[in-house]
Amino acid sequence: MTTWTITPERPGSPVAADLWRAYYTEVSDRWYLRHEDRRTDPAELEREIAARSGSELAPPTGRLLIARYGGAPAGSAGVRLLDPATAELTRVFVHEGLRGRGGAALLVAAAEDAARALGAGRIVLDTRTDLVEARALYARLGYAETAPHNDDRYAEHWFRKELVN
């Protein structure tokens, strides 16, 4: 039986970089196809990856979690403190071919545990309208849509969940 494992990872690791590249390619392509009828330019993708290393997901104020399915890297989730009581969930991703097998819910639960370990009592996130699978996942896991907590140009929906110990 193939199983999921979730472990912390250094944001700059090759595994993290490969998953970030897959994540960014998917969400960026969706954005550009929706708004500009084109896919992401490869040079633009590499510039964005270089500019967003994920360093904010490193201890002591953040965590990057990697999901493996049958031992192979399959997904990621990050959490970082916005203030001492509030963590932000970010970069939740599972490879398309492995979706529907419970990995995303496990990643989110592990991120919530990491947020609690960082001292947070609530967790927030943002997402886009076209990421309907993500919005459905967060609602199913008890996240409530709320007022914006940032001014990210790509954010269209904001969610919040109180973390119970």
PDB file of all heavy atoms in Angstrom, residues 108-129:
ATOM      1  N   VAL A 108      -2.105  20.245   4.723  1.00  0.00           N
ATOM      2  CA  VAL A 108      -2.713  21.363   5.448  1.00  0.00           C
ATOM      3  C   VAL A 108      -2.728  21.071   6.948  1.00  0.00           C
ATOM      4  O   VAL A 108      -2.407  21.934   7.757  1.00  0.00           O
ATOM      5  CB  VAL A 108      -4.117  21.691   4.907  1.00  0.00           C
ATOM      6  CG1 VAL A 108      -4.826  22.701   5.798  1.00  0.00           C
ATOM      7  CG2 VAL A 108      -4.014  22.214   3.477  1.00  0.00           C
ATOM      8  N   ALA A 109      -3.071  19.845   7.340  1.00  0.00           N
ATOM      9  CA  ALA A 109      -3.063  19.484   8.760  1.00  0.00           C
ATOM     10  C   ALA A 109      -1.656  19.612   9.350  1.00  0.00           C
ATOM     11  O   ALA A 109      -1.484  20.123  10.461  1.00  0.00           O
ATOM     12  CB  ALA A 109      -3.598  18.063   8.949  1.00  0.00           C
ATOM     13  N   ALA A 110      -0.650  19.181   8.612  1.00  0.00           N
ATOM     14  CA  ALA A 110       0.733  19.307   9.085  1.00  0.00           C
ATOM     15  C   ALA A 110       1.138  20.773   9.182  1.00  0.00           C
ATOM     16  O   ALA A 110       1.852  21.168  10.124  1.00  0.00           O
ATOM     17  CB  ALA A 110       1.673  18.548   8.153  1.00  0.00           C
ATOM     18  N   ALA A 111       0.686  21.596   8.248  1.00  0.00           N
ATOM     19  CA  ALA A 111       0.979  23.030   8.299  1.00  0.00           C
ATOM     20  C   ALA A 111       0.295  23.674   9.504  1.00  0.00           C
ATOM     21  O   ALA A 111       0.870  24.544  10.167  1.00  0.00           O
ATOM     22  CB  ALA A 111       0.553  23.708   7.005  1.00  0.00           C
ATOM     23  N   GLU A 112      -0.928  23.252   9.798  1.00  0.00           N
ATOM     24  CA  GLU A 112      -1.619  23.765  10.983  1.00  0.00           C
ATOM     25  C   GLU A 112      -0.856  23.382  12.252  1.00  0.00           C
ATOM     26  O   GLU A 112      -0.693  24.207  13.156  1.00  0.00           O
ATOM     27  CB  GLU A 112      -3.052  23.243  11.031  1.00  0.00           C
ATOM     28  CG  GLU A 112      -3.937  23.832   9.950  1.00  0.00           C
ATOM     29  CD  GLU A 112      -5.304  23.178   9.863  1.00  0.00           C
ATOM     30  OE1 GLU A 112      -5.589  22.231  10.649  1.00  0.00           O
ATOM     31  OE2 GLU A 112      -6.103  23.600   8.992  1.00  0.00           O
ATOM     32  N   ASP A 113      -0.359  22.147  12.317  1.00  0.00           N
ATOM     33  CA  ASP A 113       0.455  21.728  13.462  1.00  0.00           C
ATOM     34  C   ASP A 113       1.719  22.573  13.567  1.00  0.00           C
ATOM     35  O   ASP A 113       2.124  22.976  14.665  1.00  0.00           O
ATOM     36  CB  ASP A 113       0.833  20.245  13.350  1.00  0.00           C
ATOM     37  CG  ASP A 113      -0.344  19.306  13.583  1.00  0.00           C
ATOM     38  OD1 ASP A 113      -1.385  19.750  14.124  1.00  0.00           O
ATOM     39  OD2 ASP A 113      -0.215  18.126  13.203  1.00  0.00           O
ATOM     40  N   ALA A 114       2.347  22.846  12.431  1.00  0.00           N
ATOM     41  CA  ALA A 114       3.557  23.680  12.426  1.00  0.00           C
ATOM     42  C   ALA A 114       3.234  25.097  12.896  1.00  0.00           C
ATOM     43  O   ALA A 114       4.009  25.699  13.651  1.00  0.00           O
ATOM     44  CB  ALA A 114       4.182  23.703  11.028  1.00  0.00           C
ATOM     45  N   ALA A 115       2.089  25.634  12.475  1.00  0.00           N
ATOM     46  CA  ALA A 115       1.678  26.972  12.906  1.00  0.00           C
ATOM     47  C   ALA A 115       1.475  27.009  14.417  1.00  0.00           C
ATOM     48  O   ALA A 115       1.904  27.954  15.090  1.00  0.00           O
ATOM     49  CB  ALA A 115       0.407  27.393  12.173  1.00  0.00           C
ATOM     50  N   ARG A 116       0.827  25.979  14.961  1.00  0.00           N
ATOM     51  CA  ARG A 116       0.654  25.895  16.415  1.00  0.00           C
ATOM     52  C   ARG A 116       2.008  25.850  17.116  1.00  0.00           C
ATOM     53  O   ARG A 116       2.218  26.510  18.134  1.00  0.00           O
ATOM     54  CB  ARG A 116      -0.155  24.650  16.791  1.00  0.00           C
ATOM     55  CG  ARG A 116      -1.625  24.760  16.558  1.00  0.00           C
ATOM     56  CD  ARG A 116      -2.357  23.514  17.093  1.00  0.00           C
ATOM     57  NE  ARG A 116      -3.630  23.366  16.458  1.00  0.00           N
ATOM     58  CZ  ARG A 116      -3.877  22.695  15.342  1.00  0.00           C
ATOM     59  NH1 ARG A 116      -2.917  22.052  14.718  1.00  0.00           N
ATOM     60  NH2 ARG A 116      -5.089  22.643  14.842  1.00  0.00           N
ATOM     61  N   ALA A 117       2.932  25.066  16.569  1.00  0.00           N
ATOM     62  CA  ALA A 117       4.267  24.953  17.166  1.00  0.00           C
ATOM     63  C   ALA A 117       5.006  26.292  17.130  1.00  0.00           C
ATOM     64  O   ALA A 117       5.844  26.558  17.998  1.00  0.00           O
ATOM     65  CB  ALA A 117       5.077  23.875  16.445  1.00  0.00           C
ATOM     66  N   LEU A 118       4.686  27.127  16.152  1.00  0.00           N
ATOM     67  CA  LEU A 118       5.279  28.466  16.075  1.00  0.00           C
ATOM     68  C   LEU A 118       4.574  29.450  17.014  1.00  0.00           C
ATOM     69  O   LEU A 118       4.983  30.601  17.118  1.00  0.00           O
ATOM     70  CB  LEU A 118       5.210  28.990  14.633  1.00  0.00           C
ATOM     71  CG  LEU A 118       6.078  28.266  13.615  1.00  0.00           C
ATOM     72  CD1 LEU A 118       5.734  28.702  12.198  1.00  0.00           C
ATOM     73  CD2 LEU A 118       7.562  28.501  13.905  1.00  0.00           C
ATOM     74  N   GLY A 119       3.489  29.017  17.660  1.00  0.00           N
ATOM     75  CA  GLY A 119       2.767  29.851  18.613  1.00  0.00           C
ATOM     76  C   GLY A 119       1.522  30.517  18.074  1.00  0.00           C
ATOM     77  O   GLY A 119       0.875  31.296  18.783  1.00  0.00           O
ATOM     78  N   ALA A 120       1.145  30.240  16.844  1.00  0.00           N
ATOM     79  CA  ALA A 120      -0.019  30.896  16.230  1.00  0.00           C
ATOM     80  C   ALA A 120      -1.322  30.312  16.763  1.00  0.00           C
ATOM     81  O   ALA A 120      -1.425  29.103  16.991  1.00  0.00           O
ATOM     82  CB  ALA A 120       0.030  30.753  14.711  1.00  0.00           C
ATOM     83  N   GLY A 121      -2.309  31.176  16.903  1.00  0.00           N
ATOM     84  CA  GLY A 121      -3.643  30.762  17.308  1.00  0.00           C
ATOM     85  C   GLY A 121      -4.627  30.792  16.160  1.00  0.00           C
ATOM     86  O   GLY A 121      -5.765  30.362  16.291  1.00  0.00           O
ATOM     87  N   ARG A 122      -4.181  31.331  15.034  1.00  0.00           N
ATOM     88  CA  ARG A 122      -5.025  31.367  13.836  1.00  0.00           C
ATOM     89  C   ARG A 122      -4.118  31.228  12.616  1.00  0.00           C
ATOM     90  O   ARG A 122      -2.919  31.512  12.675  1.00  0.00           O
ATOM     91  CB  ARG A 122      -5.850  32.643  13.762  1.00  0.00           C
ATOM     92  CG  ARG A 122      -5.101  33.878  13.323  1.00  0.00           C
ATOM     93  CD  ARG A 122      -5.897  35.163  13.449  1.00  0.00           C
ATOM     94  NE  ARG A 122      -6.252  35.472  14.796  1.00  0.00           N
ATOM     95  CZ  ARG A 122      -5.439  36.079  15.681  1.00  0.00           C
ATOM     96  NH1 ARG A 122      -4.225  36.424  15.329  1.00  0.00           N
ATOM     97  NH2 ARG A 122      -5.844  36.330  16.899  1.00  0.00           N
ATOM     98  N   ILE A 123      -4.752  30.800  11.532  1.00  0.00           N
ATOM     99  CA  ILE A 123      -4.019  30.664  10.276  1.00  0.00           C
ATOM    100  C   ILE A 123      -4.859  31.301   9.178  1.00  0.00           C
ATOM    101  O   ILE A 123      -6.083  31.178   9.170  1.00  0.00           O
ATOM    102  CB  ILE A 123      -3.678  29.182   9.996  1.00  0.00           C
ATOM    103  CG1 ILE A 123      -2.663  29.028   8.868  1.00  0.00           C
ATOM    104  CG2 ILE A 123      -4.914  28.346   9.803  1.00  0.00           C
ATOM    105  CD1 ILE A 123      -2.024  27.646   8.800  1.00  0.00           C
ATOM    106  N   VAL A 124      -4.206  32.016   8.281  1.00  0.00           N
ATOM    107  CA  VAL A 124      -4.876  32.700   7.185  1.00  0.00           C
ATOM    108  C   VAL A 124      -4.221  32.281   5.877  1.00  0.00           C
ATOM    109  O   VAL A 124      -3.106  31.767   5.859  1.00  0.00           O
ATOM    110  CB  VAL A 124      -4.823  34.242   7.349  1.00  0.00           C
ATOM    111  CG1 VAL A 124      -5.559  34.682   8.610  1.00  0.00           C
ATOM    112  CG2 VAL A 124      -3.389  34.752   7.348  1.00  0.00           C
ATOM    113  N   LEU A 125      -4.919  32.528   4.777  1.00  0.00           N
ATOM    114  CA  LEU A 125      -4.371  32.237   3.452  1.00  0.00           C
ATOM    115  C   LEU A 125      -5.117  33.063   2.427  1.00  0.00           C
ATOM    116  O   LEU A 125      -6.190  33.600   2.704  1.00  0.00           O
ATOM    117  CB  LEU A 125      -4.481  30.747   3.119  1.00  0.00           C
ATOM    118  CG  LEU A 125      -5.889  30.162   3.005  1.00  0.00           C
ATOM    119  CD1 LEU A 125      -6.377  30.180   1.563  1.00  0.00           C
ATOM    120  CD2 LEU A 125      -5.916  28.755   3.555  1.00  0.00           C
ATOM    121  N   ASP A 126      -4.533  33.164   1.264  1.00  0.00           N
ATOM    122  CA  ASP A 126      -5.237  33.765   0.131  1.00  0.00           C
ATOM    123  C   ASP A 126      -5.120  32.835  -1.058  1.00  0.00           C
ATOM    124  O   ASP A 126      -4.223  32.006  -1.131  1.00  0.00           O
ATOM    125  CB  ASP A 126      -4.698  35.165  -0.198  1.00  0.00           C
ATOM    126  CG  ASP A 126      -3.260  35.148  -0.680  1.00  0.00           C
ATOM    127  OD1 ASP A 126      -2.992  34.629  -1.786  1.00  0.00           O
ATOM    128  OD2 ASP A 126      -2.385  35.664   0.040  1.00  0.00           O
ATOM    129  N   THR A 127      -6.068  32.988  -1.954  1.00  0.00           N
ATOM    130  CA  THR A 127      -6.070  32.184  -3.172  1.00  0.00           C
ATOM    131  C   THR A 127      -6.815  32.958  -4.258  1.00  0.00           C
ATOM    132  O   THR A 127      -7.257  34.084  -4.035  1.00  0.00           O
ATOM    133  CB  THR A 127      -6.663  30.780  -2.930  1.00  0.00           C
ATOM    134  OG1 THR A 127      -6.407  29.958  -4.077  1.00  0.00           O
ATOM    135  CG2 THR A 127      -8.137  30.832  -2.616  1.00  0.00           C
ATOM    136  N   ARG A 128      -6.946  32.353  -5.404  1.00  0.00           N
ATOM    137  CA  ARG A 128      -7.594  33.008  -6.540  1.00  0.00           C
ATOM    138  C   ARG A 128      -8.910  32.321  -6.886  1.00  0.00           C
ATOM    139  O   ARG A 128      -9.136  31.158  -6.553  1.00  0.00           O
ATOM    140  CB  ARG A 128      -6.672  32.955  -7.761  1.00  0.00           C
ATOM    141  CG  ARG A 128      -5.372  33.692  -7.554  1.00  0.00           C
ATOM    142  CD  ARG A 128      -4.566  33.830  -8.819  1.00  0.00           C
ATOM    143  NE  ARG A 128      -4.722  32.773  -9.780  1.00  0.00           N
ATOM    144  CZ  ARG A 128      -3.727  32.074 -10.307  1.00  0.00           C
ATOM    145  NH1 ARG A 128      -2.487  32.315  -9.965  1.00  0.00           N
ATOM    146  NH2 ARG A 128      -3.957  31.137 -11.202  1.00  0.00           N
ATOM    147  N   THR A 129      -9.727  33.032  -7.640  1.00  0.00           N
ATOM    148  CA  THR A 129     -11.022  32.509  -8.079  1.00  0.00           C
ATOM    149  C   THR A 129     -10.861  31.254  -8.929  1.00  0.00           C
ATOM    150  O   THR A 129     -11.620  30.295  -8.776  1.00  0.00           O
ATOM    151  CB  THR A 129     -11.787  33.594  -8.857  1.00  0.00           C
ATOM    152  OG1 THR A 129     -12.023  34.689  -7.957  1.00  0.00           O
ATOM    153  CG2 THR A 129     -13.105  33.089  -9.391  1.00  0.00           C
TER     154      THR A 129
END
